[in-house]
């Protein structure tokens, strides 16, 4: 589970990450990253926390499958929060194949997308 301060909840924050951030697509998911974005809702903190949100549509599967995918992605993202710049906004959108994928496949795609967004990957 992601800590409360690392959860992306507001619609405007999702929109900011998707519209103004960079995107990396993989076969199972698409990751949107807005690096070092300042949080207009936070009090005058020096370094706002990195926040992540997840979009899992009905195309992924039924309610049980969607919730399972969200739980897996939250767990994977929690382990990777320290790699991202402070104040970043991350939106992970699961694609239809994510419902049939196992934990290791989701981890590979998430790692590859984050590596590409952080400048470690090639096009």
């Amino acid at each position: 589970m992601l800590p409360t301060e690392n959860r992306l909840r507001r619609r405007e924050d999702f929109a900011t990450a998707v519209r103004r951030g960079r995107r990396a697509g993989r076969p199972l998911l698409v990751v949107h990253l807005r690096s070092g974005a300042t949080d207009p809702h936070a009090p005058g903190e020096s370094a706002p926390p990195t926040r992540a949100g997840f979009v899992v549509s009905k195309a992924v599967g039924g309610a049980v499958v969607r919730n399972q995918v969200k739980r897996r992605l939250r767990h994977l993202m929690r382990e990777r929060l320290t790699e991202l710049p402070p104040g970043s906004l991350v939106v992970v959108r699961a694609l239809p194949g994510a419902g049939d994928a196992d934990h290791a496949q989701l981890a590979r795609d998430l790692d590859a997308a984050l590596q590409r967004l952080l400048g470690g990957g090639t096009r």
Side-chain angles (χ1 to χ4, degrees):
M1 183 64 73
L2 277 176
T4 304
E5 66 270 6
N6 295 116
R7 294 182 194 165
L8 198 60
R9 295 184 179 197
R10 296 175 190 242
R11 185 174 195 229
E12 307 88 43
D13 294 337
F14 275 87
T16 299
V18 171
R19 290 185 186 141
R20 296 185 182 166
R22 296 178 57 213
R23 178 182 72 207
R26 304 298 307 154
L28 299 176
L29 47 88
V30 177
V31 179
H32 300 268
L33 173 67
R34 171 100 168 136
S35 294
T38 58
D39 183 7
H41 310 294
E45 297 177 3
S46 59
T50 299
R51 294 181 297 148
F54 306 92
V55 178
V56 184
S57 74
K58 288 184 180 180
V60 173
V64 173
V65 174
R66 290 194 313 268
N67 284 321
Q68 183 180 33
V69 169
K70 280 189 275 191
R71 283 193 306 270
R72 287 178 178 172
L73 289 173
R74 276 195 303 260
H75 178 75
L76 291 169
M77 200 64 211
R78 183 184 65 187
E79 297 171 350
R80 291 153 179 83
L81 284 175
T82 57
E83 301 170 12
L84 300 169
S88 296
L89 302 177
V90 181
V91 173
V92 180
R93 183 170 43 108
L95 297 176
D100 299 326
D102 64 1
H103 190 78
Q105 291 171 317
L106 287 172
R108 271 195 305 273
D109 274 9
L110 183 61
D111 286 337
L114 288 174
Q115 183 179 11
R116 181 174 172 196
L117 288 170
L118 295 173
T122 59
R123 288 190 164 242

